[in-house]
mmCIF file with all atom_site columns, all heavy atoms in Angstrom:
data_model
loop_
_atom_site.group_PDB
_atom_site.id
_atom_site.type_symbol
_atom_site.label_atom_id
_atom_site.label_alt_id
_atom_site.label_comp_id
_atom_site.label_asym_id
_atom_site.label_entity_id
_atom_site.label_seq_id
_atom_site.pdbx_PDB_ins_code
_atom_site.Cartn_x
_atom_site.Cartn_y
_atom_site.Cartn_z
_atom_site.occupancy
_atom_site.B_iso_or_equiv
_atom_site.pdbx_formal_charge
_atom_site.auth_seq_id
_atom_site.auth_comp_id
_atom_site.auth_asym_id
_atom_site.auth_atom_id
_atom_site.pdbx_PDB_model_num
ATOM 1   N N   . ASN C 1 16  ? 0.773  -4.548  6.460  1.00 0.00 ? 16  ASN C N   1
ATOM 2   C CA  . ASN C 1 16  ? -0.141 -3.445  6.726  1.00 0.00 ? 16  ASN C CA  1
ATOM 3   C C   . ASN C 1 16  ? 0.654  -2.174  7.027  1.00 0.00 ? 16  ASN C C   1
ATOM 4   O O   . ASN C 1 16  ? 1.860  -2.220  7.274  1.00 0.00 ? 16  ASN C O   1
ATOM 5   C CB  . ASN C 1 16  ? -1.130 -3.816  7.844  1.00 0.00 ? 16  ASN C CB  1
ATOM 6   C CG  . ASN C 1 16  ? -0.458 -4.149  9.153  1.00 0.00 ? 16  ASN C CG  1
ATOM 7   O OD1 . ASN C 1 16  ? 0.579  -3.583  9.487  1.00 0.00 ? 16  ASN C OD1 1
ATOM 8   N ND2 . ASN C 1 16  ? -1.038 -5.069  9.898  1.00 0.00 ? 16  ASN C ND2 1
ATOM 9   N N   . PRO C 1 17  ? -0.015 -1.022  6.977  1.00 0.00 ? 17  PRO C N   1
ATOM 10  C CA  . PRO C 1 17  ? 0.685  0.246   7.197  1.00 0.00 ? 17  PRO C CA  1
ATOM 11  C C   . PRO C 1 17  ? 1.356  0.311   8.566  1.00 0.00 ? 17  PRO C C   1
ATOM 12  O O   . PRO C 1 17  ? 2.364  1.009   8.728  1.00 0.00 ? 17  PRO C O   1
ATOM 13  C CB  . PRO C 1 17  ? -0.430 1.288   7.073  1.00 0.00 ? 17  PRO C CB  1
ATOM 14  C CG  . PRO C 1 17  ? -1.449 0.645   6.184  1.00 0.00 ? 17  PRO C CG  1
ATOM 15  C CD  . PRO C 1 17  ? -1.415 -0.810  6.569  1.00 0.00 ? 17  PRO C CD  1
ATOM 16  N N   . GLY C 1 30  ? 18.442 7.851   13.969 1.00 0.00 ? 30  GLY C N   1
ATOM 17  C CA  . GLY C 1 30  ? 19.889 7.848   14.159 1.00 0.00 ? 30  GLY C CA  1
ATOM 18  C C   . GLY C 1 30  ? 20.634 8.513   13.028 1.00 0.00 ? 30  GLY C C   1
ATOM 19  O O   . GLY C 1 30  ? 20.044 9.148   12.141 1.00 0.00 ? 30  GLY C O   1
ATOM 20  N N   . LEU C 1 32  ? 22.094 7.293   10.581 1.00 0.00 ? 32  LEU C N   1
ATOM 21  C CA  . LEU C 1 32  ? 21.933 6.722   9.239  1.00 0.00 ? 32  LEU C CA  1
ATOM 22  C C   . LEU C 1 32  ? 20.511 6.916   8.694  1.00 0.00 ? 32  LEU C C   1
ATOM 23  O O   . LEU C 1 32  ? 20.156 6.357   7.655  1.00 0.00 ? 32  LEU C O   1
ATOM 24  C CB  . LEU C 1 32  ? 22.319 5.238   9.247  1.00 0.00 ? 32  LEU C CB  1
ATOM 25  C CG  . LEU C 1 32  ? 23.829 4.986   9.387  1.00 0.00 ? 32  LEU C CG  1
ATOM 26  C CD1 . LEU C 1 32  ? 24.107 3.517   9.704  1.00 0.00 ? 32  LEU C CD1 1
ATOM 27  C CD2 . LEU C 1 32  ? 24.553 5.389   8.094  1.00 0.00 ? 32  LEU C CD2 1
ATOM 28  N N   . GLU C 1 73  ? 23.490 7.792   21.996 1.00 0.00 ? 73  GLU C N   1
ATOM 29  C CA  . GLU C 1 73  ? 24.602 8.708   21.767 1.00 0.00 ? 73  GLU C CA  1
ATOM 30  C C   . GLU C 1 73  ? 25.360 8.363   20.492 1.00 0.00 ? 73  GLU C C   1
ATOM 31  O O   . GLU C 1 73  ? 25.823 9.245   19.764 1.00 0.00 ? 73  GLU C O   1
ATOM 32  C CB  . GLU C 1 73  ? 25.550 8.685   22.976 1.00 0.00 ? 73  GLU C CB  1
ATOM 33  C CG  . GLU C 1 73  ? 26.477 9.887   22.963 1.00 0.00 ? 73  GLU C CG  1
ATOM 34  C CD  . GLU C 1 73  ? 27.336 9.934   24.239 1.00 0.00 ? 73  GLU C CD  1
ATOM 35  O OE1 . GLU C 1 73  ? 26.899 9.331   25.264 1.00 0.00 ? 73  GLU C OE1 1
ATOM 36  O OE2 . GLU C 1 73  ? 28.430 10.518  24.194 1.00 0.00 ? 73  GLU C OE2 1
ATOM 37  N N   . ALA C 1 88  ? 13.820 -2.805  31.940 1.00 0.00 ? 88  ALA C N   1
ATOM 38  C CA  . ALA C 1 88  ? 14.589 -1.995  32.880 1.00 0.00 ? 88  ALA C CA  1
ATOM 39  C C   . ALA C 1 88  ? 14.965 -0.616  32.346 1.00 0.00 ? 88  ALA C C   1
ATOM 40  O O   . ALA C 1 88  ? 15.657 0.140   33.022 1.00 0.00 ? 88  ALA C O   1
ATOM 41  C CB  . ALA C 1 88  ? 15.852 -2.757  33.298 1.00 0.00 ? 88  ALA C CB  1
ATOM 42  N N   . TYR C 1 93  ? 13.513 5.742   28.753 1.00 0.00 ? 93  TYR C N   1
ATOM 43  C CA  . TYR C 1 93  ? 13.942 6.148   27.413 1.00 0.00 ? 93  TYR C CA  1
ATOM 44  C C   . TYR C 1 93  ? 12.809 6.094   26.389 1.00 0.00 ? 93  TYR C C   1
ATOM 45  O O   . TYR C 1 93  ? 13.042 6.095   25.181 1.00 0.00 ? 93  TYR C O   1
ATOM 46  C CB  . TYR C 1 93  ? 15.129 5.295   26.971 1.00 0.00 ? 93  TYR C CB  1
ATOM 47  C CG  . TYR C 1 93  ? 16.307 5.483   27.900 1.00 0.00 ? 93  TYR C CG  1
ATOM 48  C CD1 . TYR C 1 93  ? 16.524 4.593   28.959 1.00 0.00 ? 93  TYR C CD1 1
ATOM 49  C CD2 . TYR C 1 93  ? 17.158 6.585   27.769 1.00 0.00 ? 93  TYR C CD2 1
ATOM 50  C CE1 . TYR C 1 93  ? 17.577 4.786   29.847 1.00 0.00 ? 93  TYR C CE1 1
ATOM 51  C CE2 . TYR C 1 93  ? 18.208 6.789   28.647 1.00 0.00 ? 93  TYR C CE2 1
ATOM 52  C CZ  . TYR C 1 93  ? 18.416 5.892   29.687 1.00 0.00 ? 93  TYR C CZ  1
ATOM 53  O OH  . TYR C 1 93  ? 19.447 6.096   30.563 1.00 0.00 ? 93  TYR C OH  1
ATOM 54  N N   . GLY C 1 141 ? 19.946 -26.082 10.831 1.00 0.00 ? 141 GLY C N   1
ATOM 55  C CA  . GLY C 1 141 ? 21.003 -27.065 11.030 1.00 0.00 ? 141 GLY C CA  1
ATOM 56  C C   . GLY C 1 141 ? 20.845 -27.799 12.343 1.00 0.00 ? 141 GLY C C   1
ATOM 57  O O   . GLY C 1 141 ? 21.432 -28.861 12.544 1.00 0.00 ? 141 GLY C O   1
ATOM 58  N N   . GLN C 1 151 ? 7.668  -21.745 16.018 1.00 0.00 ? 151 GLN C N   1
ATOM 59  C CA  . GLN C 1 151 ? 7.467  -20.675 16.998 1.00 0.00 ? 151 GLN C CA  1
ATOM 60  C C   . GLN C 1 151 ? 7.537  -19.313 16.315 1.00 0.00 ? 151 GLN C C   1
ATOM 61  O O   . GLN C 1 151 ? 6.724  -18.428 16.574 1.00 0.00 ? 151 GLN C O   1
ATOM 62  C CB  . GLN C 1 151 ? 8.549  -20.771 18.085 1.00 0.00 ? 151 GLN C CB  1
ATOM 63  C CG  . GLN C 1 151 ? 8.365  -21.954 19.022 1.00 0.00 ? 151 GLN C CG  1
ATOM 64  C CD  . GLN C 1 151 ? 9.576  -22.190 19.904 1.00 0.00 ? 151 GLN C CD  1
ATOM 65  O OE1 . GLN C 1 151 ? 10.704 -21.824 19.550 1.00 0.00 ? 151 GLN C OE1 1
ATOM 66  N NE2 . GLN C 1 151 ? 9.365  -22.835 21.048 1.00 0.00 ? 151 GLN C NE2 1
ATOM 67  N N   . ALA C 1 159 ? 2.671  -10.703 15.343 1.00 0.00 ? 159 ALA C N   1
ATOM 68  C CA  . ALA C 1 159 ? 3.347  -9.404  15.296 1.00 0.00 ? 159 ALA C CA  1
ATOM 69  C C   . ALA C 1 159 ? 2.880  -8.580  14.100 1.00 0.00 ? 159 ALA C C   1
ATOM 70  O O   . ALA C 1 159 ? 2.604  -7.386  14.210 1.00 0.00 ? 159 ALA C O   1
ATOM 71  C CB  . ALA C 1 159 ? 4.857  -9.612  15.242 1.00 0.00 ? 159 ALA C CB  1
ATOM 72  N N   . VAL C 1 168 ? 14.812 -11.361 12.163 1.00 0.00 ? 168 VAL C N   1
ATOM 73  C CA  . VAL C 1 168 ? 15.202 -12.748 12.435 1.00 0.00 ? 168 VAL C CA  1
ATOM 74  C C   . VAL C 1 168 ? 16.721 -12.888 12.430 1.00 0.00 ? 168 VAL C C   1
ATOM 75  O O   . VAL C 1 168 ? 17.387 -12.540 11.468 1.00 0.00 ? 168 VAL C O   1
ATOM 76  C CB  . VAL C 1 168 ? 14.555 -13.713 11.420 1.00 0.00 ? 168 VAL C CB  1
ATOM 77  C CG1 . VAL C 1 168 ? 15.073 -15.138 11.635 1.00 0.00 ? 168 VAL C CG1 1
ATOM 78  C CG2 . VAL C 1 168 ? 13.031 -13.686 11.567 1.00 0.00 ? 168 VAL C CG2 1
ATOM 79  N N   . ALA C 1 215 ? 27.798 -30.697 -0.169 1.00 0.00 ? 215 ALA C N   1
ATOM 80  C CA  . ALA C 1 215 ? 28.304 -31.219 -1.437 1.00 0.00 ? 215 ALA C CA  1
ATOM 81  C C   . ALA C 1 215 ? 27.418 -30.795 -2.611 1.00 0.00 ? 215 ALA C C   1
ATOM 82  O O   . ALA C 1 215 ? 27.900 -30.313 -3.633 1.00 0.00 ? 215 ALA C O   1
ATOM 83  C CB  . ALA C 1 215 ? 28.409 -32.739 -1.366 1.00 0.00 ? 215 ALA C CB  1
ATOM 84  N N   . PRO C 1 227 ? 30.350 -15.919 -7.792 1.00 0.00 ? 227 PRO C N   1
ATOM 85  C CA  . PRO C 1 227 ? 31.521 -15.216 -7.248 1.00 0.00 ? 227 PRO C CA  1
ATOM 86  C C   . PRO C 1 227 ? 31.422 -15.106 -5.721 1.00 0.00 ? 227 PRO C C   1
ATOM 87  O O   . PRO C 1 227 ? 30.521 -14.442 -5.204 1.00 0.00 ? 227 PRO C O   1
ATOM 88  C CB  . PRO C 1 227 ? 31.462 -13.826 -7.892 1.00 0.00 ? 227 PRO C CB  1
ATOM 89  C CG  . PRO C 1 227 ? 30.180 -13.756 -8.662 1.00 0.00 ? 227 PRO C CG  1
ATOM 90  C CD  . PRO C 1 227 ? 29.417 -15.001 -8.469 1.00 0.00 ? 227 PRO C CD  1
ATOM 91  N N   . VAL C 1 262 ? 37.150 -4.904  11.877 1.00 0.00 ? 262 VAL C N   1
ATOM 92  C CA  . VAL C 1 262 ? 35.712 -4.611  11.860 1.00 0.00 ? 262 VAL C CA  1
ATOM 93  C C   . VAL C 1 262 ? 35.391 -3.547  10.809 1.00 0.00 ? 262 VAL C C   1
ATOM 94  O O   . VAL C 1 262 ? 34.409 -3.651  10.076 1.00 0.00 ? 262 VAL C O   1
ATOM 95  C CB  . VAL C 1 262 ? 35.241 -4.144  13.261 1.00 0.00 ? 262 VAL C CB  1
ATOM 96  C CG1 . VAL C 1 262 ? 33.766 -3.789  13.231 1.00 0.00 ? 262 VAL C CG1 1
ATOM 97  C CG2 . VAL C 1 262 ? 35.522 -5.219  14.311 1.00 0.00 ? 262 VAL C CG2 1
ATOM 98  N N   . PHE C 1 275 ? 23.013 -4.144  4.161  1.00 0.00 ? 275 PHE C N   1
ATOM 99  C CA  . PHE C 1 275 ? 22.265 -3.001  4.690  1.00 0.00 ? 275 PHE C CA  1
ATOM 100 C C   . PHE C 1 275 ? 22.834 -2.476  5.995  1.00 0.00 ? 275 PHE C C   1
ATOM 101 O O   . PHE C 1 275 ? 22.337 -1.493  6.530  1.00 0.00 ? 275 PHE C O   1
ATOM 102 C CB  . PHE C 1 275 ? 20.793 -3.383  4.887  1.00 0.00 ? 275 PHE C CB  1
ATOM 103 C CG  . PHE C 1 275 ? 20.068 -3.627  3.593  1.00 0.00 ? 275 PHE C CG  1
ATOM 104 C CD1 . PHE C 1 275 ? 20.326 -4.765  2.838  1.00 0.00 ? 275 PHE C CD1 1
ATOM 105 C CD2 . PHE C 1 275 ? 19.141 -2.713  3.117  1.00 0.00 ? 275 PHE C CD2 1
ATOM 106 C CE1 . PHE C 1 275 ? 19.668 -4.995  1.643  1.00 0.00 ? 275 PHE C CE1 1
ATOM 107 C CE2 . PHE C 1 275 ? 18.481 -2.933  1.920  1.00 0.00 ? 275 PHE C CE2 1
ATOM 108 C CZ  . PHE C 1 275 ? 18.748 -4.074  1.173  1.00 0.00 ? 275 PHE C CZ  1
#
Side-chain angles (χ1 to χ4, degrees):
Chain C
N16 60 33
L32 288 167
E73 196 175 337
Y93 299 95
Q151 288 169 334
V168 175
V262 178
F275 292 72

